[in-house]
Amino acid sequence: MLARRFLSSASSSLAPTIRQLLASPPQPSAASVTVNGWVKSIRRQKKVAFAVISDGSSDTGLQAVFTDVNLAKHLTNGASVRLQGTLADSPGAGQEKELKVSDAEVLGACDPETYPMQKQALTVEYLRDHCHLRPRTREIGAMLRLRDTTTRAIHEYFHDNGFVHIHTPIITSNDCEGAGETFRIAPSASDPSIPSALDAKPSEYFGHPAYLTVSSQLHLEAAASAISRVYTLSPCFRAERSQTSRHLAEFWMLEGEWAFTSSVTEVCDVAEHAVRHVLRTHASSPDMDALWKQHPSEAKRAELQAYADASQPWTRLTYTEAIEVLAKHHAQTPGGAFVFPPAWGSSLQSEHERWLADTHVRGPVFVTDYPASLKPFYMRVNDNSEPGRETVACFDLLVPGMGELVGGSLREERVELLEAALDRHGLDKADYEWYLDLRRYGGAPHGGFGLGFERLISWMSGIESVRECIAMPRWAGRMLL
Amino acid sequence: MLARRFLSSASSSLAPTIRQLLASPPQPSAASVTVNGWVKSIRRQKKVAFAVISDGSSDTGLQAVFTDVNLAKHLTNGASVRLQGTLADSPGAGQEKELKVSDAEVLGACDPETYPMQKQALTVEYLRDHCHLRPRTREIGAMLRLRDTTTRAIHEYFHDNGFVHIHTPIITSNDCEGAGETFRIAPSASDPSIPSALDAKPSEYFGHPAYLTVSSQLHLEAAASAISRVYTLSPCFRAERSQTSRHLAEFWMLEGEWAFTSSVTEVCDVAEHAVRHVLRTHASSPDMDALWKQHPSEAKRAELQAYADASQPWTRLTYTEAIEVLAKHHAQTPGGAFVFPPAWGSSLQSEHERWLADTHVRGPVFVTDYPASLKPFYMRVNDNSEPGRETVACFDLLVPGMGELVGGSLREERVELLEAALDRHGLDKADYEWYLDLRRYGGAPHGGFGLGFERLISWMSGIESVRECIAMPRWAGRMLL
């Protein structure tokens, strides 16, 4: 509320965007307005010309009507323009208002012959090659606005639930997932100006090897052992070789971590509520409308909203139960249903995950309590585990059409069990003294989860590949700009 | 408003934090409540014990009163506990409510003999060495919450003014500032699984050299040429050798960029409004109270608020005017006022910047229109420049006690002048073809600014070094966790 009080004085001196102009048209309606933007299309007739002008503030832009066709003479697709005119009710379909242009100025010309963003459909690959220009397409523009509104919904959810946003470090010395797929920071060349603290290893800027973070979790755990509820939306990096539609070398991850939670059910609850909140805030979203309209099965959008509004919690299965239903389905299907026969102790394959969410549950499903051997060292061993078949208090959230969207767990807070897990995973305890300290000194039962932000955008928008779910994607062999 | 509608269903199943509990005590007041947290202090008398419990949700925590002293027997500083009891009006000073404890459980013990976070004052250096535990100190806890509320105020300001938040890339091939202080991503070892796209240069994951970004500006310019108003709060990296209280190797930067602006005055306006908005939302902030109370000159906090509330825009001087007043002051001071004599064409030194803000203006001051030779290639050359004394349409915002807080400019949108600037700065035009494209195809006059987030936190909180203004600081020779 405090912020609102000052809103008027906090609004800038900038001219209104098209979205702002249409949200609150000027009074009186005959007042002259200025519209800045780019020409998206132009249609010339003998006595009138029409142009769609976009400033990127909304999916639709604004239709400009030139009764003096001379004013439109220099307008071409892609040119940036400043138009003066009055807003009037539009007789055409698809828009409430249009601009009757009284003056037009081209600010930046755009040669229609050489402009790389031609009007005909451009391939996904062509647009990836032109990723400095592709925000000008309708799809990427809508996706960028969808990231913005999704980010805000995430902040809103965590703030309303008492979480504090933490900026966790990008450069780190640890490899949280232990997968070895990290990018290393290159040592700087030997440099006489390097401070003396570095003398021992003059080739390293930090004095020891440095990597790009693969997850903020361990750092969040340190914060959660003081602030108790923390989260971050932060870049993460994996030097994966996977060339799939679900992997990027640089991606954003939402991670929440909180103390004083003792059941994986509660961790699932928070993840579910957070995702539902994001979906609900987009129940009415012109950008999602625009994106789904281009999708072969537009009806899937309604399913998304049904998941958000479901009166029951999303389905939860243990890993053991999941293996049972998978194995049964595999056995009952002539020739077998899966390439990989489901078996307790083996990872769930993509084909298994997709079948569980798409066919068996037909909705989001939490699979919990995986075998310890399949999961990272930090997950809490279940108290009721059978010897030899230890499970950990964790979950993966699988969603239709996508597979894994969120992963989370309780974290092992018992020092001896954590030390044993480090040994079992072949990790050097000396590197984790600080992490053990969090348990030694007032450690509390705690847990959290991580959600791949680009996967969420892909799931919400129907955009097939995560490479179209981020402004400037990076993957093996590809890093433009 | 949409989000609000769903708030109740979006709130999680988590128990209330201490802050939430104190903000809306249970009805009836005799209802039992559960409080989770860490023991900050404990005082035992014969028939009663008092403990301060913090869960990090607020600066003050909650006083717990044990009329059964046995319940407090195992409580030690740093231990994590779960208390049951009732909230009652507190007779003591400094808190409205206290918890009358009916049951207590130690969740995680903390040996007071070995606990690194002893009650006596710990040095800044000691805390830097224990950065996994220092969020437990009052100062770092308050700073982390201040970062959270400042982040929210920033998002609020930009959202309310029609800006779209963009996640700009961290890994990049460009060096925006041209200072050469970049971290390089280490090439991966030769690996047979590297995709064939990399065959040409098998030692590079991306096929060509990759760096950590020093600024998101160039990427934001690409987005702003379609979305027109964009901003980011993103990590930046500089492999600086500076070991000052104002420099980090990894820091966060707020950057705004927007199209259709043609005057540096307007860029200054937006920066000023944004900073004022952040200060105003903190006019009443328990965390800022706590931080300033420890500061030698607590009165400076009132000055901050005065800057926010000033009825006049902040002072603006051109660089040329600034040099004149500096030179005059230098000449009039016996022996000279500065180590570096002020001279047109030379950089403003820290001593100059501090004198301008602290003494001459006694408030924030924009210095605009620096010589082109002192600034990066992308700044727009002023139309009215004298030949041989070209200036660029830029500004630095200098603030008392700090120096430079924000820097911004109009960006050169004229292709030929931009190409000439690239040449002048010895940059390879081939690397900037994409950046030139933004001008070739519907380029619009545009500008923006960057604000060092840790400097803002330092300025707002009175915390002297930026190393205490981020959870896990990294600088030359130092990178823990």
Side-chain angles (χ1 to χ4, degrees):
Chain A
M1 282 313 296
L2 194 59
R4 295 285 136 185
R5 239 183 83 205
F6 293 109
L7 231 181
S8 55
S9 61
S11 42
S12 72
S13 53
L14 299 175
T17 61
I18 291 174
R19 178 205 282 262
Q20 290 168 336
L21 212 51
L22 295 179
S24 48
Q27 305 294 341
S29 65
S32 177
V33 298
T34 301
V35 170
N36 297 309
W38 291 271
V39 178
K40 288 308 196 185
S41 65
I42 182 146
R43 192 157 47 90
R44 298 171 211 274
Q45 299 172 0
K46 224 175 226 169
K47 297 194 169 172
V48 63
F50 301 93
V52 174
I53 307 297
S54 167
D55 65 358
S57 62
S58 66
D59 174 62
T60 45
L62 177 64
Q63 170 152 287
V65 183
F66 297 80
T67 46
D68 176 355
V69 291
N70 273 325
L71 287 176
K73 199 163 61 181
H74 299 292
L75 268 57
T76 58
N77 283 339
S80 70
V81 293
R82 174 166 294 154
L83 305 181
Q84 304 276 345
T86 51
L87 285 181
D89 292 337
S90 175
Q95 71 245 345
E96 278 180 28
K97 297 276 172 189
E98 61 184 24
L99 182 75
K100 295 200 173 305
V101 179
S102 58
D103 200 11
E105 179 188 0
V106 173
L107 301 173
C110 186
D111 181 350
E113 299 299 313
T114 59
Y115 188 36
M117 300 283 103
Q118 294 296 324
K119 285 217 66 178
Q120 66 268 32
L122 301 166
T123 66
V124 164
E125 286 72 22
Y126 180 88
L127 290 170
R128 288 175 187 166
D129 287 341
H130 292 81
C131 85
H132 59 301
L133 299 175
R134 74 175 191 170
R136 302 175 183 203
T137 64
R138 195 170 176 186
E139 181 180 54
I140 298 292
M143 178 278 291
L144 292 172
R145 286 186 299 273
L146 182 61
R147 287 183 70 107
D148 174 64
T149 50
T150 302
T151 300
R152 279 196 295 121
I154 286 170
H155 287 310
E156 203 168 61
Y157 176 82
F158 282 97
H159 174 64
D160 288 342
N161 285 291
F163 283 74
V164 171
H165 183 266
I166 303 284
H167 292 106
T168 44
I170 310 304
I171 300 176
T172 180
S173 54
N174 76 62
D175 173 8
C176 168
E177 300 298 320
E181 291 175 327
T182 50
F183 289 106
R184 174 130 184 234
I185 308 293
S188 53
S190 188
D191 176 345
S193 72
I194 291 176
S196 57
L198 295 181
D199 277 355
K201 294 187 177 183
S203 68
E204 294 277 2
Y205 179 86
F206 293 110
H208 51 93
Y211 304 91
L212 297 185
T213 189
V214 298
S215 158
S216 303
Q217 181 199 315
L218 306 192
H219 298 124
L220 282 180
E221 285 186 66
S225 73
I227 307 289
S228 78
R229 294 187 192 172
V230 294
Y231 75 107
T232 193
L233 180 57
S234 191
C236 290
F237 304 85
R238 303 212 181 151
E240 308 203 51
R241 302 301 173 187
S242 316
Q243 296 278 16
T244 82
S245 65
R246 289 167 55 203
H247 291 91
L248 292 166
E250 174 179 311
F251 59 101
W252 286 73
M253 185 138 70
L254 166 68
E255 295 183 86
E257 191 76 28
W258 61 101
F260 309 113
T261 190
S262 308
S263 86
V264 76
T265 302
E266 196 169 66
V267 185
C268 293
D269 285 345
V270 175
E272 176 172 338
H273 291 154
V275 174
R276 282 189 186 223
H277 177 73
V278 171
L279 292 175
R280 278 168 172 158
T281 57
H282 289 86
S284 156
S285 157
D287 290 313
M288 273 179 62
D289 291 346
L291 290 164
W292 280 101
K293 258 180 208 143
Q294 301 177 26
H295 196 269
S297 51
E298 195 182 341
K300 287 200 183 293
R301 187 184 166 183
E303 291 176 16
L304 276 185
Q305 293 307 326
Y307 306 147
D309 295 334
S311 59
Q312 294 297 312
W314 292 343
T315 302
R316 295 171 194 198
L317 288 177
T318 65
Y319 167 87
T320 303
E321 290 165 343
I323 290 291
E324 280 167 14
V325 298
L326 286 163
K328 191 171 161 195
H329 176 63
H330 188 62
Q332 289 176 344
T333 306
F338 302 113
V339 177
F340 296 90
W344 203 99
S346 300
S347 295
L348 293 188
Q349 302 293 324
S350 288
E351 56 175 346
H352 304 146
E353 296 180 342
R354 295 290 295 267
W355 181 81
L356 285 169
D358 293 7
T359 307
H360 182 62
V361 172
R362 294 174 181 269
V365 50
F366 289 93
V367 179
T368 66
D369 303 289
Y370 283 68
S373 58
L374 298 178
K375 292 292 181 179
F377 74 95
Y378 52 73
M379 292 189 177
R380 191 180 195 279
V381 175
N382 280 318
D383 295 324
N384 60 358
S385 286
E386 286 175 51
R389 275 165 73 101
E390 280 81 11
T391 57
V392 284
C394 70
F395 73 84
D396 283 355
L397 172 62
L398 314 177
V399 298
M402 161 73 62
E404 185 189 341
L405 178 65
V406 189
S409 76
L410 297 180
R411 321 307 189 184
E412 187 58 78
E413 85 278 13
R414 296 160 294 186
V415 177
E416 323 73 52
L417 287 171
L418 185 56
E419 286 181 325
L422 286 165
D423 286 342
R424 213 165 43 241
H425 284 81
L427 296 165
D428 185 350
K429 278 203 283 280
D431 292 342
Y432 293 88
E433 278 302 314
W434 69 271
Y435 190 69
L436 292 162
D437 270 1
L438 303 179
R439 278 76 180 162
R440 288 183 187 121
Y441 304 113
H446 66 286
F449 66 84
L451 173 155
F453 189 73
E454 285 74 24
R455 290 193 187 179
L456 176 64
I457 297 296
S458 167
W459 188 51
M460 286 173 65
S461 65
I463 296 175
E464 193 187 336
S465 170
V466 290
R467 294 175 185 177
E468 276 64 65
C469 292
I470 189 167
M472 293 164 193
R474 279 90 177 82
W475 68 89
R478 173 56 67 101
M479 189 262 296
L480 295 182
L481 316 195
Chain B
M1 279 315 294
L2 194 59
R4 295 284 135 185
R5 240 182 82 205
F6 293 108
L7 230 182
S8 56
S9 61
S11 41
S12 72
S13 53
L14 299 175
T17 62
I18 291 175
R19 178 205 282 260
Q20 290 169 335
L21 212 50
L22 294 179
S24 49
Q27 305 294 340
S29 65
S32 178
V33 297
T34 301
V35 171
N36 297 309
W38 290 271
V39 178
K40 287 310 194 184
S41 65
I42 181 146
R43 193 156 47 88
R44 296 171 213 274
Q45 298 172 0
K46 224 175 224 165
K47 297 195 170 169
V48 63
F50 301 93
V52 174
I53 307 298
S54 167
D55 65 357
S57 62
S58 67
D59 175 62
T60 45
L62 177 64
Q63 170 154 288
V65 183
F66 298 78
T67 46
D68 176 356
V69 291
N70 272 327
L71 287 176
K73 201 162 61 180
H74 298 293
L75 268 59
T76 59
N77 282 339
S80 70
V81 293
R82 174 166 293 153
L83 305 181
Q84 303 276 345
T86 51
L87 285 181
D89 291 338
S90 174
Q95 71 244 347
E96 278 180 29
K97 295 276 175 191
E98 61 185 23
L99 182 74
K100 294 199 175 304
V101 179
S102 58
D103 199 11
E105 180 188 359
V106 173
L107 300 173
C110 186
D111 181 351
E113 298 298 313
T114 58
Y115 189 36
M117 298 284 105
Q118 295 295 323
K119 285 219 67 177
Q120 67 268 28
L122 302 166
T123 66
V124 164
E125 286 74 20
Y126 180 88
L127 290 170
R128 288 175 186 166
D129 287 342
H130 292 80
C131 86
H132 58 303
L133 299 176
R134 74 175 193 171
R136 302 174 183 204
T137 64
R138 196 169 175 186
E139 183 180 51
I140 299 293
M143 178 279 290
L144 291 173
R145 286 186 299 274
L146 182 61
R147 286 183 71 107
D148 174 65
T149 50
T150 301
T151 300
R152 278 196 295 122
I154 286 169
H155 287 310
E156 202 168 63
Y157 176 81
F158 282 96
H159 173 64
D160 288 342
N161 285 291
F163 284 73
V164 171
H165 183 267
I166 303 283
H167 293 106
T168 44
I170 309 304
I171 300 177
T172 179
S173 54
N174 76 63
D175 172 10
C176 167
E177 300 298 319
E181 293 175 324
T182 49
F183 289 105
R184 173 132 185 234
I185 307 293
S188 53
S190 188
D191 177 344
S193 71
I194 291 176
S196 57
L198 295 181
D199 277 355
K201 294 188 177 182
S203 69
E204 295 276 2
Y205 179 86
F206 293 110
H208 52 92
Y211 305 91
L212 296 185
T213 189
V214 298
S215 158
S216 304
Q217 180 200 315
L218 305 192
H219 298 122
L220 282 180
E221 285 185 68
S225 74
I227 308 287
S228 79
R229 294 187 192 173
V230 294
Y231 75 107
T232 194
L233 179 57
S234 190
C236 291
F237 304 85
R238 303 215 180 149
E240 305 205 52
R241 301 304 173 184
S242 315
Q243 295 278 15
T244 82
S245 64
R246 289 167 54 204
H247 291 91
L248 292 165
E250 173 179 311
F251 59 101
W252 287 71
M253 186 136 72
L254 166 68
E255 295 183 85
E257 192 75 29
W258 61 102
F260 309 113
T261 190
S262 308
S263 88
V264 78
T265 302
E266 196 169 65
V267 185
C268 293
D269 285 345
V270 175
E272 176 173 338
H273 290 155
V275 174
R276 281 190 186 224
H277 177 73
V278 171
L279 292 175
R280 278 167 171 159
T281 57
H282 289 87
S284 156
S285 157
D287 291 313
M288 272 179 64
D289 292 345
L291 290 163
W292 279 101
K293 258 180 208 144
Q294 302 177 26
H295 195 269
S297 52
E298 195 182 341
K300 287 201 183 294
R301 185 181 169 186
E303 291 176 15
L304 277 184
Q305 294 306 326
Y307 306 147
D309 296 334
S311 58
Q312 294 298 312
W314 292 342
T315 303
R316 297 170 194 199
L317 288 177
T318 65
Y319 167 88
T320 302
E321 290 165 343
I323 290 291
E324 280 167 14
V325 298
L326 286 162
K328 191 171 161 197
H329 175 63
H330 188 63
Q332 288 175 344
T333 305
F338 301 113
V339 177
F340 295 90
W344 203 99
S346 301
S347 294
L348 293 189
Q349 301 292 324
S350 287
E351 57 175 348
H352 304 147
E353 296 180 340
R354 295 288 296 266
W355 180 82
L356 285 169
D358 294 6
T359 308
H360 182 62
V361 171
R362 295 175 180 267
V365 50
F366 289 92
V367 179
T368 66
D369 303 288
Y370 284 67
S373 58
L374 299 178
K375 292 290 181 182
F377 74 94
Y378 52 73
M379 292 188 177
R380 190 180 197 279
V381 175
N382 280 317
D383 295 325
N384 59 359
S385 289
E386 288 175 50
R389 275 166 72 101
E390 281 82 10
T391 58
V392 283
C394 70
F395 73 85
D396 283 355
L397 171 61
L398 314 177
V399 299
M402 164 72 64
E404 185 188 341
L405 177 65
V406 188
S409 76
L410 297 181
R411 322 307 189 183
E412 187 57 78
E413 85 278 14
R414 296 160 294 187
V415 177
E416 324 73 52
L417 287 171
L418 185 56
E419 287 180 324
L422 286 165
D423 286 342
R424 214 165 44 241
H425 284 81
L427 297 165
D428 185 350
K429 279 203 283 280
D431 293 341
Y432 294 88
E433 278 302 315
W434 69 270
Y435 191 68
L436 292 162
D437 269 1
L438 302 179
R439 280 75 182 162
R440 287 183 187 121
Y441 304 113
H446 66 288
F449 65 85
L451 174 155
F453 189 73
E454 284 73 25
R455 290 193 187 180
L456 176 63
I457 297 296
S458 168
W459 187 51
M460 286 173 65
S461 65
I463 296 175
E464 194 187 335
S465 171
V466 290
R467 293 175 185 178
E468 275 65 64
C469 292
I470 188 167
M472 295 165 191
R474 280 88 177 83
W475 68 89
R478 173 56 66 101
M479 188 264 295
L480 295 181
L481 316 193

